[in-house]
Amino acid sequence: MSSPTVFITGAAAGIGRATALLFAGHGYHIGAYDIDEVGLTRLAADINAAGGKVRTGVLDVTNNTHWAERLAEFDEATGRLDILINNAGILRAGRFESIDLVTHQAIMDVNLGGVLAGMHHAFPYLRDTRGAQVVNLCSASAIYGQPELASYGATKSAVKSLTEALDLEWSRHDIRVIAVWPLFVATAMVDGMSTGTTKSLGVRLTADDVADGIWEATSKRPRLPKVHYEIGTQAKLLAAAAKYAPSWAVRGVNKYFAGA
């Protein structure tokens, strides 16, 4: 039997890199894709040095041609697609009106459009692999709309809904679709970022923490269907509060943490 495979976007650094290294260590054939060719070269060298298997390629998740070509190349090399991890994303923080419209639209295009395109292009390969899974990187910022992260949180809320819908829709094809929910993670995405919530809650997670959460979520299927996986104590507490507290209280808590 051929090695299980995982196709990871945004794999050159941060969460994507940590996830690629972790899965390679567990015997997965890695498909690592990004727009950062230098980062991909370094990642491939590390995986190869440890005796792992990896294929890399340039992938702009907003480019449909890139998606079609990279997936076809990976399938030709491996013959299967066990896990697709939609990790690539961008984040810009600040008051809504102070961020130019082009940047807001880029956030939408990458964080939502890239996930949608990836799942659409990957579907035939997932369908033809028994027990295939999709992991979408969501965010605790989607639990309730966050000041200074308005468009970013909106994309993650949409990813939440898309994940839930396709987990139901694709179950007949034996495809599981899940979302992982970290709060702020110490990667380049948050370097220099200063918002009310980062000041009050801090940046407590590492890329390895999220990679571990992805591994745990995909390697052990629960008896009862489970779609959402919060990463870290803070995200779990915020999610529980949003689920059980009245809406006015949830708004108040978010207003307090954001300093709004």
Side-chain angles (χ1 to χ4, degrees):
M1 181 180 292
S2 60
S3 301
T5 66
V6 58
F7 187 110
I8 307 170
T9 67
I15 294 169
R17 175 183 169 83
T19 304
L21 291 169
L22 178 61
F23 276 74
H26 284 283
Y28 275 71
H29 191 140
I30 307 300
Y33 299 92
D34 206 305
I35 58 174
D36 177 3
E37 294 183 75
V38 174
L40 289 176
T41 299
R42 292 171 178 163
L43 171 64
D46 289 342
I47 291 175
N48 288 326
K53 293 178 287 186
V54 60
R55 184 180 185 91
T56 66
V58 174
L59 171 59
D60 173 352
V61 297
T62 68
N63 186 314
N64 287 316
T65 300
H66 282 191
W67 269 113
E69 292 176 349
R70 300 297 88 81
L71 283 162
E73 292 164 359
F74 191 63
D75 181 68
E76 184 177 357
T78 65
R80 58 192 295 171
L81 179 55
D82 292 276
I83 305 175
L84 167 66
I85 301 179
N86 284 309
N87 167 69
I90 58 176
L91 183 155
R92 299 292 183 272
R95 299 295 181 187
F96 178 81
E97 67 278 6
S98 70
I99 299 174
D100 62 82
L101 185 57
V102 170
T103 299
H104 283 299
Q105 291 171 332
I107 292 170
M108 294 289 175
D109 291 342
V110 173
N111 295 2
L112 176 56
V115 172
L116 188 150
M119 289 196 287
H120 198 277
H121 285 287
F123 171 73
Y125 305 103
L126 295 164
R127 178 198 58 204
D128 294 343
T129 305
R130 183 178 179 182
Q133 302 181 77
V134 178
V135 180
N136 292 328
L137 267 291
C138 204
S139 168
S141 300
I143 294 172
Y144 192 92
Q146 294 296 306
E148 301 176 285
L149 293 170
S151 53
Y152 177 81
T155 62
K156 298 303 183 179
S157 293
V159 167
K160 170 185 179 292
S161 179
L162 187 63
T163 300
E164 292 168 347
L166 290 186
D167 184 60
L168 292 170
E169 189 173 329
W170 285 0
S171 61
R172 66 180 181 274
H173 300 293
D174 192 28
I175 302 171
R176 180 184 183 222
V177 187
I178 65 173
V180 295
W181 292 67
L183 197 55
F184 301 112
V185 184
T187 67
M189 282 184 70
V190 301
D191 283 350
M193 189 174 84
S194 179
T195 67
T197 45
T198 55
K199 292 175 183 176
S200 60
L201 296 173
V203 181
R204 301 176 182 273
L205 294 175
T206 67
D208 288 334
D209 291 330
V210 183
D212 288 341
I214 293 171
W215 172 257
E216 185 74 16
T218 54
S219 61
K220 298 178 181 179
R221 295 209 180 198
R223 292 183 179 179
L224 296 177
K226 182 175 172 65
V227 176
H228 300 297
Y229 290 80
E230 297 84 10
I231 308 295
T233 302
Q234 288 178 317
K236 291 175 181 177
L237 290 174
L238 290 170
K243 183 176 181 180
Y244 297 111
S247 58
W248 61 265
V250 175
R251 181 183 185 278
V253 167
N254 280 272
K255 181 178 180 180
Y256 172 78
F257 283 128

